[in-house]
Amino acid sequence: MRERKLQPPKGPLQGKIEVPGDKSISHRSVMFGSLAHGTTHVQHFLGSEDCLRTLTIFQAMGVKIEQKGSSLTIFGKGPEALKEPLEPLYFGNSGTTARLMLGILAGLPMFTTLHGDISLTKRPMNRVVEPLRLMGAQIDGRDHGNYLPLAIRGQTMKGIRYELPVKSAQVKSAILLAGLFAEGETTVTESTSTRNHTETMLEAFGAELHINGTAVSLKGNQTLTATDIYVPGDISSAAFFLVAAAIVPGSSLKLLNVGLNETRTGIIDVLLEMGADIQIENERQKGGERIGNITITYRELKAVTIEGEIIPRLIDEIPIIALLATQAEGTTVIKDARELRVKETDRIRAVTETLTRLGANIKETKDGFIICGKTKLVGNRVESYHDHRMGMLAAVASLITTTEVTIDDITPIATSYPSFFKDLEQII
Ligand code: S3P
């Protein structure tokens, strides 16, 4: 536990920040590089606790990976060279590691046991375990395999046609990864598009896949070939600074080299609809992903309704969008976001409790919030709920509170953004 007291700053926020690499893409770069044949170089890798879990797990399975700052060199020898780990694999707080690794491990000829921290141990794994069992996986664990710790006895897997019952890129990715080394063809169909970094990276590593609307198909028994990866800045980390500049009067911030993949830019759409002043320049493709610089300048905001298809495009940003809504004129409604209840914590409950303690007018609903703005926020003591995004939400809120905010524990922030306070101090 590491408490932190934050004094509200005196003036507007100004400056430039290059946020660290994207968490989703960093995880996948290690997974794909380790499964590929040849040497993969990764630039701008996010060395956060979550991504280092993925890295450590592949090292425990015998993959040589060198890390120098934010650069990685991964010496891949294909899935057949992976060794049965001697000890249980520890996933810490990382849902992405857990869910995607289930898809990989289910088809490897080895026995593995998997466990995580107290937050991850409460998160449902059935959404991945069920389709993997239909492909032939042998997985057991607490509550018939719904919760960690889990044990996997690797099997020869068979391709599957599967319609995703939950809007989840993690589930889609786990099935595609299992399908890649299975017999026959695998097709995953989703009702609403979720982040597509797995598909993009599969193509970059030379896999053949077909995308038809929201259906992705691939043949089994494919070989991946090493490639070089550049990881764009994480828009989910940039979101905290976008909101900071949008709520502190007089601010202007430039965020450099941020990932602008369509499946992730819902926060920009929402900010624009609220009336924010946002300019995007130097937009380009780098390593298969769209990136660019975002400049945001403070302007008065108005309330919006956020629902339906946009939700997966901003699912991780909803906590910080809730703070944004407290500073917009009118009533903001956020719905169709029930998934927030099974993130690192129940984020609907945690956001409502936190913003209420800070003086906001916010009501919890079954799948979102109703937030009435604009309200003056006040200082208080708040929790981070073992959740990095709740910790950063509280820190950004402290920029506009009348008095000091105390966060009970800032250690969870390192799961996605170890240099968060260093970057924040640069612009205050
Ligand atoms: C992620 C997908 C999302 C997101 C998580 C990272 C990924 O989860 O919330 O932070 O890397 O695929 P779901 O796919 O479960 O919605």
Side-chain angles (χ1 to χ4, degrees):
M1 294 278 273
R2 210 160 87 228
E3 185 184 277
R4 180 136 180 169
K5 292 183 190 303
L6 294 151
Q7 300 293 339
K10 294 191 181 57
L13 310 173
Q14 301 284 348
K16 283 186 195 166
I17 297 177
E18 179 163 20
V19 292
D22 186 273
K23 181 155 80 72
S24 294
I25 300 176
S26 294
H27 279 300
R28 286 159 173 83
S29 69
V30 175
M31 292 177 187
F32 283 87
S34 298
L35 294 169
H37 289 265
T39 306
T40 290
H41 298 280
V42 184
Q43 262 181 45
H44 204 229
F45 173 76
L46 170 65
S48 74
E49 278 177 13
D50 268 17
C51 298
L52 293 176
R53 299 287 173 209
T54 300
L55 193 147
T56 311
I57 281 168
F58 279 100
Q59 286 175 328
M61 292 197 291
V63 182
K64 186 175 160 204
I65 306 177
E66 288 171 0
Q67 190 187 3
K68 277 201 194 101
S70 64
S71 298
L72 295 184
T73 308
I74 307 169
F75 300 90
K77 293 185 177 159
E80 53 286 352
L82 295 175
K83 294 196 186 72
E84 187 173 68
L86 298 178
E87 292 183 59
L89 298 175
Y90 184 61
F91 295 149
N93 192 250
S94 182
T96 305
T97 313
R99 303 236 173 80
L100 271 60
M101 286 310 297
L102 277 166
I104 294 171
L105 295 168
L108 291 176
M110 58 178 74
F111 174 76
T112 44
T113 51
L114 332 170
H115 66 130
D117 72 5
I118 184 69
S119 151
L120 189 59
T121 300
K122 292 180 188 157
R123 298 183 67 185
M125 295 295 149
N126 252 349
R127 49 183 59 202
V128 176
V129 170
E130 274 173 11
L132 291 177
R133 280 187 181 141
L134 295 174
M135 299 174 81
Q138 217 185 83
I139 303 172
D140 204 354
R142 246 173 8 102
D143 190 25
H144 309 286
N146 190 20
Y147 297 108
L148 296 172
L150 295 173
I152 306 178
R153 167 81 55 197
Q155 303 293 318
T156 303
M157 304 276 278
K158 291 183 297 294
I160 189 182
R161 293 184 76 82
Y162 194 72
E163 271 182 42
L164 288 185
V166 278
K167 297 175 181 57
S168 165
Q170 293 179 349
V171 179
K172 173 178 64 175
S173 303
I175 300 169
L176 289 175
L177 282 162
L180 189 64
F181 304 118
E183 288 170 355
E185 198 175 59
T186 293
T187 301
V188 185
T189 310
E190 42 189 4
S191 55
T192 307
S193 298
T194 62
R195 66 190 67 192
N196 61 2
H197 307 301
T198 297
E199 295 90 308
T200 303
M201 212 175 276
L202 276 167
E203 283 176 337
F205 278 87
E208 215 183 290
L209 82 163
H210 297 283
I211 299 172
N212 187 357
T214 56
V216 189
S217 306
L218 50 70
K219 288 212 169 63
N221 289 320
Q222 296 203 45
T223 305
L224 300 179
T225 308
T227 186
D228 289 347
I229 301 285
Y230 167 80
V231 183
D234 196 330
I235 191 164
S236 299
S237 298
F240 292 97
F241 296 111
L242 290 172
V243 170
I247 62 175
V248 178
S251 299
S252 184
L253 289 180
K254 187 169 188 170
L255 303 168
L256 305 170
N257 304 324
V258 181
L260 295 173
N261 180 316
E262 276 273 332
T263 62
R264 299 283 300 279
T265 48
I267 174 118
I268 294 180
D269 296 0
V270 164
L271 277 162
L272 288 171
E273 202 189 330
M274 288 178 130
D277 177 356
I278 290 187
Q279 307 295 330
I280 297 180
E281 31 96 26
N282 199 13
E283 227 181 304
R284 59 207 189 275
Q285 284 289 117
K286 194 162 174 182
E289 294 276 352
R290 205 157 66 99
I291 66 167
N293 300 337
I294 311 174
T295 303
I296 177 158
T297 307
Y298 175 83
R299 198 150 78 184
E300 294 283 334
L301 301 173
K302 58 179 194 302
V304 288
T305 295
I306 304 171
E307 62 185 326
E309 300 229 323
I310 199 171
I311 296 294
R313 296 179 54 232
L314 46 66
I315 189 73
D316 292 341
E317 288 65 75
I318 293 177
I320 196 68
I321 289 173
L323 171 66
L324 179 70
T326 68
Q327 302 310 303
E329 209 54 63
T331 303
T332 292
V333 179
I334 303 178
K335 47 186 171 186
D336 303 325
R338 193 189 278 267
E339 271 298 297
L340 293 178
R341 296 218 180 260
V342 290
K343 294 294 179 188
E344 283 81 335
T345 187
D346 175 345
R347 285 183 176 160
I348 295 182
R349 173 63 48 85
V351 166
T352 308
E353 277 175 9
T354 301
L355 292 179
T356 301
R357 286 183 71 77
L358 298 177
N361 182 344
I362 178 168
K363 207 169 122 257
E364 168 177 349
T365 64
K366 64 178 191 323
D367 61 353
F369 314 90
I370 299 168
I371 303 159
C372 296
K374 170 176 185 174
T375 28
K376 208 179 226 3
L377 299 189
V378 295
N380 206 338
R381 184 181 171 82
V382 295
E383 287 176 45
S384 60
Y385 302 85
H386 300 285
D387 183 338
H388 51 133
R389 300 204 198 279
M390 289 307 302
M392 290 187 277
L393 158 70
V396 175
S398 80
L399 301 173
I400 53 164
T401 49
T402 47
T403 52
E404 180 181 271
V405 170
T406 303
I407 308 174
D408 70 334
D409 183 19
I410 57 162
T411 52
I413 293 175
T415 64
S416 71
Y417 201 160
S419 58
F420 172 73
F421 283 107
K422 208 172 111 231
D423 287 352
L424 183 64
E425 275 151 22
Q426 260 189 55
I427 53 157
I428 289 179

